[in-house]
Amino acid sequence: GNAAVGGAGEHEEGTNVAEDSMISSTHNTIKDGVEMVFNIINTIFHPKASRNVIKIGLIYLAPIFHYHKNLCQSYVEILLSIPEEVRSQVLETTSVSENNEGLYVLGSNTLPYKLSGAPTNWNSLSVATSLRKIIRKNRLEHLETEHMDVFAATLVQPFKEEELEEWLKIYHQLKDYFYVALCDSDLCSTSIEVLRRFLGCQELQSRIFEASIEVFLSALRLLYHPDQDV
């Protein structure tokens, strides 16, 4: 009887070892596959790629940041570098529908693809974080249209409660840029939109107000010219 029990135990242990080995092998295969896919993406998806490849990539890679945030930085850099009309279409969310598709010509074939709606599918916090890193890395004196447009697009989705502290950090680091943008006729509308989203968040409101008084007064001084008729 004891021999039978011992044999069963050894069999079970052997089965567990085989299962662990199979799981490990599967994990390594998936890891290798993911790395290969990333290599392919990095090879064909870059600022100098064809306009169709860039547009398709910006739309269909957007959801991947929920799982693979390491691609987000290059994605945002490409988004900032493309012509404004292409970026505006990719960031458009007000007219997104199932029929909002274009045709991509591949040899003798034409394939449908989505034209817009990236901000409704991406990880907004990841995109905003990558944009903040780019702005701070380049030590920009002020933001350009592309920076404001992309940041405004990261605020399309509602704030998630578990991410509020991270959003507050981003606001603290970029708020000076937003208020300076109020003084730029080309950026003021987008800046107002961005500030309204933060100030309209009840969970952040009091902390946003407290952190913004000084920079808000500075922006007013830039906007107000007593020697001019208003």
Side-chain angles (χ1 to χ4, degrees):
N2 291 336
V5 172
E10 291 175 1
H11 175 73
E12 182 178 350
E13 183 178 348
T15 301
N16 290 337
V17 170
E19 289 177 351
D20 289 344
S21 177
M22 184 180 298
I23 292 172
S24 177
S25 177
T26 302
H27 175 76
N28 289 334
T29 300
I30 293 173
K31 184 178 179 181
D32 290 343
V34 169
E35 185 176 345
M36 182 176 67
V37 170
F38 283 171
N39 288 336
I40 293 172
I41 291 173
N42 289 328
T43 299
I44 64 177
F45 186 60
H46 52 80
K48 294 184 179 180
S50 74
R51 179 172 292 198
N52 281 335
V53 169
I54 288 176
K55 288 169 69 175
I56 293 171
L58 290 171
I59 295 295
Y60 287 93
L61 288 176
I64 205 173
F65 307 139
H66 292 283
Y67 314 100
H68 302 287
K69 297 178 182 179
N70 53 327
L71 280 177
C72 197
Q73 189 85 1
S74 58
Y75 178 98
V76 174
E77 288 174 350
I78 292 173
L79 193 53
L80 293 172
S81 69
I82 58 178
E84 184 175 356
E85 66 271 16
V86 178
R87 183 172 54 256
S88 296
Q89 187 175 39
V90 168
L91 298 179
E92 174 64 42
T93 59
T94 56
S95 61
V96 174
S97 68
E98 293 181 1
N99 297 323
N100 189 26
E101 294 184 338
L103 294 176
Y104 174 56
V105 179
L106 183 64
S108 60
N109 299 317
T110 55
L111 305 172
Y113 66 93
K114 293 180 181 178
L115 295 170
S116 56
T120 61
N121 294 312
W122 65 27
N123 184 315
S124 296
L125 181 59
S126 293
V127 176
T129 299
S130 293
L131 180 59
R132 180 202 63 192
K133 289 178 180 178
I134 291 170
I135 292 170
R136 291 172 65 83
K137 177 183 176 182
N138 293 328
R139 300 178 182 231
L140 299 180
E141 293 185 3
H142 56 83
L143 301 185
E144 301 291 346
T145 300
E146 57 267 25
H147 304 107
M148 290 299 300
D149 287 348
V150 173
F151 195 88
T154 68
L155 302 177
V156 167
Q157 298 179 36
F159 290 125
K160 296 178 181 178
E161 185 176 354
E162 65 274 16
E163 296 177 347
L164 287 177
E165 290 301 319
E166 290 301 314
W167 280 111
L168 186 61
K169 289 178 184 177
I170 291 173
Y171 176 82
H172 281 315
Q173 293 177 345
L174 297 182
K175 67 180 186 298
D176 289 2
Y177 290 108
F178 300 147
Y179 282 97
V180 168
L182 288 174
C183 307
D184 187 322
S185 59
D186 294 326
L187 302 179
C188 62
S189 296
T190 310
S191 180
I192 290 170
E193 179 185 342
V194 167
L195 292 171
R196 183 182 288 127
R197 284 285 289 115
F198 278 105
L199 292 168
C201 177
Q202 292 186 352
E203 294 85 352
L204 296 177
Q205 212 169 64
S206 60
R207 296 161 75 183
I208 292 288
F209 274 125
E210 184 179 349
S212 304
I213 293 175
E214 185 177 340
V215 66
F216 175 67
L217 292 175
S218 296
L220 285 180
R221 294 187 192 102
L222 287 174
L223 284 169
Y224 179 64
H225 301 284
D227 57 333
Q228 295 180 7
D229 293 329
V230 179

